[in-house]
Amino acid sequence: MPESRPEKLIIDGKRLDGRKFDELRPIKIEVDVLKRADGSCYLEMGKNKVVAAVYGPREVHPRHLQDPSKAIIRYRYNMAPFSVEERKRPGPDRRSIEISKVSKEAFEAVIMKELFPRSAIDIFVEVLQADAGSRTACINAASVALVDAGVPMKGILTSVAVAKVDGQLVLDPMKEEDNYGEADMPFAFLIRNSKIESIALIQMDGQMTKEEIKMALELAKKGAMEIYKLQREAIMKRYVTEEGIEVEEVNTDA
Amino acid sequence: MPESRPEKLIIDGKRLDGRKFDELRPIKIEVDVLKRADGSCYLEMGKNKVVAAVYGPREVHPRHLQDPSKAIIRYRYNMAPFSVEERKRPGPDRRSIEISKVSKEAFEAVIMKELFPRSAIDIFVEVLQADAGSRTACINAASVALVDAGVPMKGILTSVAVAKVDGQLVLDPMKEEDNYGEADMPFAFLIRNSKIESIALIQMDGQMTKEEIKMALELAKKGAMEIYKLQREAIMKRYVTEEGIEVEEVNTDA
Amino acid sequence: MPESRPEKLIIDGKRLDGRKFDELRPIKIEVDVLKRADGSCYLEMGKNKVVAAVYGPREVHPRHLQDPSKAIIRYRYNMAPFSVEERKRPGPDRRSIEISKVSKEAFEAVIMKELFPRSAIDIFVEVLQADAGSRTACINAASVALVDAGVPMKGILTSVAVAKVDGQLVLDPMKEEDNYGEADMPFAFLIRNSKIESIALIQMDGQMTKEEIKMALELAKKGAMEIYKLQREAIMKRYVTEEGIEVEEVNTDA
Amino acid sequence: MPEDALAEIKRDYVLSKLRDGERIDGRKLDEFRNIEIYPNIITKAEGSALVKLGNTQVVVGIKMQPGEPYPDAPNKGVIITNAELVPLASPTFEPGPPDENSVELARVVDRGIRESEAIDLEKLCIEEGKNVWIIFVDIHAIDDDGNLLDASSIAAISALLNTKVPASRFGLGEDYPLPVRDIPVSVTSLIAGSKYLVDPNKDEMSIGDYTLTISTNQKDYIVAIQKSGGYLLSEELFDELLEVSIRNARKIREIVANKS
Amino acid sequence: MPEDALAEIKRDYVLSKLRDGERIDGRKLDEFRNIEIYPNIITKAEGSALVKLGNTQVVVGIKMQPGEPYPDAPNKGVIITNAELVPLASPTFEPGPPDENSVELARVVDRGIRESEAIDLEKLCIEEGKNVWIIFVDIHAIDDDGNLLDASSIAAISALLNTKVPASRFGLGEDYPLPVRDIPVSVTSLIAGSKYLVDPNKDEMSIGDYTLTISTNQKDYIVAIQKSGGYLLSEELFDELLEVSIRNARKIREIVANKS
Amino acid sequence: MPEDALAEIKRDYVLSKLRDGERIDGRKLDEFRNIEIYPNIITKAEGSALVKLGNTQVVVGIKMQPGEPYPDAPNKGVIITNAELVPLASPTFEPGPPDENSVELARVVDRGIRESEAIDLEKLCIEEGKNVWIIFVDIHAIDDDGNLLDASSIAAISALLNTKVPASRFGLGEDYPLPVRDIPVSVTSLIAGSKYLVDPNKDEMSIGDYTLTISTNQKDYIVAIQKSGGYLLSEELFDELLEVSIRNARKIREIVANKS
């Protein structure tokens, strides 16, 4: 019984959930939520609920996977069977394999992996509930978990998507906009000293003109800066409340 | 065309196959039935027909599986595709994985594995025909095969189940009692110097009161002692007939 | 909608495609068609279209697969999903596993593997379009690719099948003859100094008398000698045109 | 290796405390860690719960869909229990298909639900012999600080208690609550020779994976037992743990009932 | 190891040329290698093409059969795109199930076809909700000398352009040409810091697997983008590559159209 | 390594005996080991046999169930032959999915049954094109002391000879014997240069896995041949083995027929 497309996705200049075009869904971030992991983060972005854990730098087995010049980064995006309408069979499917690959590569570009030759940094993200944009939610959570684990990075990764629905570009699409829109375009940016420095992840599918692509990039950057503030806040809150002074040292931007 | 439940499982104080409540099914044990294995045993227990083989102590590959302080024990319970009414697909299913695990652990507790660091003792059991209680038949066969292979143990493992059918505890349930009974409870005991010393395996599913559980344990111990005698006899027969003097040395109890 | 059997497979002493009983299908051979491989060959044999590539001798991973006394030979026969009427699921099925095994063994007998201890020689053959006899086409292509890769061999392997259709032995059966014939019998021969020295591969299924088997062998030998000439020509053409003098050195027969 | 050394120190510490009848976190031998239950946290699932047992965390989600009954129970719904020990939850978990530990975990949790007859499966028949409700109980461990099994059992029954049968989604009438009529509870103890520790945490587990799990229903009947690990169990200890488990299960059952 | 040393020398050479704005094979930075298209080479397939992009060679074969539609598109045919990076094609490919590279390759090629709406899927409905045509696009790389992705995209659309719907084989009337209404083209560039190289060959790839793929349709709309590889992309370069990709795609689209 | 050294000594011994035309166990070159057949040992199977060929032991069980025919043989039953080389049977067998050796074993046994047309498959049609009997021939090796292939062939046909079609279990009338009309027999020889050893035992196999298998039916027609192993076979030897195999097969066929 698939749901049918709503007649309009934009009504009176508002989106179906009442948001403005450039408005994010509510975001909630909690740091250090798991005991066993070296770093962890729970994140909600709209109806998405994800948990990220970081293990490492740690030894790599089997040995032939080791890189003598730097740490290898592994990233596993996994959906719980109950995270979507129709139960998902456990284990990786082609979609999660692709998401894991591009997300891993985004982090490879920002983690200072040369500091940890022969070791692995493992990033695991579990999607407990999925709505549109679960890959962006996961990257945002993973990014915070890496800071929590003390893994040195060139900056913070912040991720958000832009969609085109009924001809209009909208920030951070929810499920209906993703399913029935004309295009979807997820981004992840490297943010450093509170400035967007470059693009670590970009994908797109649908139909957009060159000009729309550029506008989408601008819209995504705006959204990313807002998310970045929340990531920073969550990290600071964690270290301020528990250890006071350590905030200075976290230095997520260097 | 599944068979339907018999109206009664106990008629005039007797079980469907005419046995008394505390009576075992007929048991047949043959030792050293395979040439290639280091130790082996063929065992029938009612309609169960199983073969056990032991290989080892032998080298472990790949090396990272080795334990520098003791032998690793591996146990593979496997059903032939033709062993049950409806053909079973080859390869391990969840049920055999669990049975293999708990059986392995029962033997881990009684094999003197510290004597063989870095090596493996492999116990393979093939169910050629299965009725209720194939896991207990397999443990009984494996136990004899281990003695045949000369693997030093703290004693002999002997296994039997108790079921509750029509409110009555019965020893060594056959298929109908297992399928339609109220509870099933397999045990394996360490027997040493002809005495039951402790419990090496215990599982249970169904519904039983605390008191029934204790009665089941007593019933199982009685059955185990009878099986133990047959195991001992089979081993002695093998070594008496072929080599006369060696019987003294087998010393299954020390 | 499976096709149905033609009423007759031999009409007026000719085969369905007009061939004589001892006539091969048209053969086309091109050497060195791939850049990345160390040796390669494209071959058509009737409607069969296959590409063979050779890599090696090269290092073997993981190390425990190495043989300290000689190279290991690996052979992978693989059908493209679109190579047959009904799409074939990607990956090896039981038929390709068997073909890969017997083909590998044919080459093991003729490659001078003792010259390359601890290394591997990998032979990969992709069937882009399959008609009857794809295993023989693949062996013929692989043989040329091995020469192209400069792998020393005792001679050339040449492969062809014989079938029995409507009671008549025919050389190099095409699909209808294979599907509806009474027997199929593929061979591969070691040819050295333009002479057939021995049998490197032989399989058969169907029904044939002992005498027919012997006649089939003779027929196959005749066909193999013709194919051998084409293999030789293709190799010489390749080295004459491009490098002139090198032909002398190829010496496919020693 | 340093890791082994650390494990050895932990083990010695646990054992030396235990010799004095004490536990490293100050609990009594038969005392559970604190239990927190967060029902209904996955709104896209038919039922769900996050359970924290000390630092151990498990999410269970329930999905339901119509499907074929088993041939030998043509008028009963079907329960399929599955556990994923995802590598996020522990440095020792590996990605890949379920290993023997996750299979055992799922099967023991399943047995508690099934044998206590907690769910009235006959009420889940849609058309006899053809169509019944399939209940997927998916156990998703997210932090393994010891005793995942009991945490999973609590999460499973808690999730079932808030499960709505999604009849309307499949054009089968109105949604209705899953008919749950018992609360099975498993109690796992770590065995150390002749001593035991109920609800062991990960540090305590450093003395070995030697556990006994006893599951009971609301009538105090035993519905499942599982000895797990390569150790020998004495009859005396077994008898004692029957008592201990029934006692603890009563308390936990109350917590579960109150949270639903 | 000698192989690593060789790779390093190659990399240095590529980079030093690039500093002067040059490429090792004399091409311009935004220039594709020579493209050869051999349509219809697999007569047993419903459609096919061999594409040579320089020394890179890919065969795509199309098979079709009736099957069930997706529940959310009951009146549309189904495209299934699959890539096998068989070990014949490269010393680094291993036998086995598709790895992350072949999955990504297949999915990006698929996205080009799907999002450009190149195939009129509604014309592939046989019976709404029950029976539609399934199109299997099988990508079979046979020689990987760099940029398999663009070679595969060209081969896929070329093969689709000569595909006949095999209706008669399934008793569904006469065969007819697959309704193709667009020619999506992907353009992949290798990124080296602030520079780029369109259609990199294998030697050029020695500087790293850092690519950006931009696919467009015949209206110059962007239909798919994929950043692949662990590098950072500047906005300026991204903007430039949008232009470069649209420009190149137009030329390639013409080649594809002429060859069909 | 000691194991290799032992293997080498065995090999030398086998070869030195062979130079004198002798075998290590005193058999003639063309002599089989003793054959024991125990039919019907698995009462839960539709048919079964345990075969001992010297110390080599194989159990074959037959299961049958209704299922779909192949599209190109709509009125014929289906044979599915499967071999499990379980690690119980040999120190060199590993658990896991069938490797090339078990696949080859199953396929050559299957070929003997299929090509001799031993089973009248047309009598196994239930409803043309829809429902036919599927015969599962499951080969379960339990002790591999050499020449598993011939032991398996003997066990397979012996099991088929005592198979009852379980029609009543599926509501399809009364059970009846499987229509078997031939007794295919495979004869495997070990090749050592220009010499051969029929029915090699494991110690003899130490000279290499170089075998030729020739299967015949009751009319002495050859129905299957399989050369297995990386060796070269001379025409002369091949001719000789055709004779030898036909001769041996006759004797074995008689033993099989008498035991059924």
Side-chain angles (χ1 to χ4, degrees), chain B residues 48-69:
Chain B
N48 291 294
K49 299 187 177 194
V50 309
V51 198
V54 169
Y55 287 91
R58 61 178 178 181
E59 239 186 301
V60 181
H61 297 290
R63 195 179 275 250
H64 70 88
L65 294 178
Q66 294 181 355
D67 183 327
S69 68

Side-chain angles (χ1 to χ4, degrees), chain C residues 1 33-36 49 51 53 55 58 76 78 80-82 84-85 87 90 124 126 128-131, chain E residues 41-44 55 57 59 61 63 82 84 86-91 136 138 140 142-145 169 202:
Chain C
M1 314 286 117
V33 296
L34 304 179
K35 186 174 183 218
R36 302 300 306 283
K49 298 186 178 195
V51 198
Y55 286 91
R58 60 178 178 180
R76 184 177 190 260
N78 187 49
F82 46 75
V84 278
E85 303 299 333
R87 179 176 184 265
F124 300 121
E126 293 295 324
L128 299 178
Q129 182 160 284
D131 212 63
Chain E
I41 59 149
I42 307 297
T43 52
K44 295 212 174 183
N55 284 311
Q57 295 186 61
V59 179
K63 296 296 292 180
N82 176 63
E84 276 201 272
V86 292
L88 169 126
S90 163
F136 289 97
D138 280 297
H140 215 73
I142 61 175
D143 205 3
D144 175 19
D145 195 38
R169 178 145 45 100
K202 201 74 205 174

Side-chain angles (χ1 to χ4, degrees), chain E residues 110-129:
Chain E
D110 184 271
R111 235 166 260 156
I113 300 165
R114 190 179 302 276
E115 302 298 340
S116 69
E117 297 173 0
I119 297 166
D120 189 349
L121 294 175
E122 297 191 6
K123 293 210 174 125
L124 297 176
C125 181
I126 301 166
E127 186 184 0
E128 180 159 339

Side-chain angles (χ1 to χ4, degrees), chain A residues 1 33-36 49 51 53 55 58 76 78 80-82 84-85 87 90 124 126 128-131, chain D residues 41-44 55 57 59 61 63 82 84 86-91 136 138 140 142-145 169 202:
Chain A
M1 315 287 116
V33 295
L34 303 179
K35 185 174 183 217
R36 302 301 305 282
K49 298 187 178 194
V51 197
Y55 287 91
R58 62 179 175 179
R76 185 177 189 260
N78 187 49
F82 46 75
V84 277
E85 302 299 333
R87 180 176 184 265
F124 300 122
E126 294 295 326
L128 300 177
Q129 181 160 284
D131 212 62
Chain D
I41 60 148
I42 307 298
T43 52
K44 294 211 173 183
N55 285 311
Q57 294 186 64
V59 179
K63 297 295 292 181
N82 177 63
E84 276 200 273
V86 293
L88 169 127
S90 164
F136 289 96
D138 280 297
H140 216 74
I142 61 175
D143 205 1
D144 174 19
D145 196 38
R169 178 145 45 100
K202 201 75 206 172

Side-chain angles (χ1 to χ4, degrees), chain A:
Chain A
M1 315 287 116
E3 291 140 41
S4 58
R5 190 196 195 285
E7 211 174 308
K8 284 181 167 191
L9 290 166
I10 306 235
I11 300 171
D12 297 337
K14 291 258 176 166
R15 299 157 72 179
L16 290 188
D17 57 1
R19 277 188 288 159
K20 286 177 285 181
F21 302 148
D22 63 352
E23 192 178 341
L24 294 168
R25 289 173 291 184
I27 289 174
K28 182 179 154 188
I29 307 179
E30 267 179 83
V31 189
D32 195 20
V33 295
L34 303 179
K35 185 174 183 217
R36 302 301 305 282
D38 296 317
S40 59
C41 175
Y42 173 77
L43 188 143
E44 292 182 7
M45 196 164 153
K47 288 185 199 158
N48 292 292
K49 298 187 178 194
V50 309
V51 197
V54 170
Y55 287 91
R58 62 179 175 179
E59 240 186 301
V60 181
H61 295 291
R63 195 179 275 247
H64 70 87
L65 293 179
Q66 293 180 356
D67 184 327
S69 68
K70 56 181 185 293
I72 58 166
I73 311 298
R74 293 185 290 205
Y75 188 101
R76 185 177 189 260
Y77 167 97
N78 187 49
M79 297 180 87
F82 46 75
S83 62
V84 277
E85 302 299 333
E86 198 178 342
R87 180 176 184 265
K88 192 199 157 290
R89 285 169 54 114
D93 55 12
R94 292 159 57 98
R95 179 178 162 276
S96 8
I97 289 171
E98 188 195 350
I99 292 179
S100 296
K101 179 179 187 289
V102 294
S103 304
K104 173 190 70 187
E105 292 169 346
F107 282 104
E108 278 177 346
V110 301
I111 292 174
M112 290 170 166
K113 45 192 194 302
E114 295 73 16
L115 298 177
F116 309 102
R118 300 194 180 281
S119 58
I121 294 168
D122 281 307
I123 309 169
F124 300 122
V125 198
E126 294 295 326
V127 180
L128 300 177
Q129 181 160 284
D131 212 62
S134 66
R135 88 189 64 189
T136 64
C138 286
I139 289 172
N140 291 330
S143 201
V144 172
L146 280 159
V147 173
D148 184 37
V151 172
M153 294 190 285
K154 294 183 190 158
I156 281 270
L157 271 201
T158 301
S159 181
V160 73
V162 170
K164 182 172 153 194
V165 294
D166 292 358
Q168 171 68 48
L169 296 183
V170 298
L171 184 65
D172 189 24
M174 82 289 205
K175 199 181 151 204
E176 291 78 5
E177 294 169 339
D178 188 28
N179 284 2
Y180 306 111
E182 294 104 73
D184 183 37
M185 191 168 183
F187 295 87
F189 301 102
L190 166 63
I191 309 188
R192 188 176 157 121
N193 296 325
S194 298
K195 262 180 49 191
I196 288 181
E197 292 233 330
S198 46
I199 302 168
L201 177 145
I202 189 168
Q203 292 184 286
M204 182 266 182
D205 65 271
Q207 296 202 3
M208 280 173 128
T209 64
K210 198 175 56 186
E211 291 68 33
E212 284 170 335
I213 295 271
K214 290 181 187 174
M215 286 163 55
L217 175 57
E218 291 310 313
L219 189 53
K221 283 160 68 178
K222 180 181 170 300
M225 283 310 300
E226 290 179 40
I227 295 170
Y228 168 73
K229 286 200 193 87
L230 298 171
Q231 288 175 303
R232 236 185 113 85
E233 255 169 47
I235 293 162
M236 290 180 72
K237 190 171 145 205
R238 163 79 183 94
Y239 286 91
V240 172
T241 41
E242 292 194 14
E243 285 153 85
I245 197 154
E246 215 173 322
V247 153
E248 293 304 304
E249 288 184 88
V250 169
N251 193 3
T252 61
D253 295 339

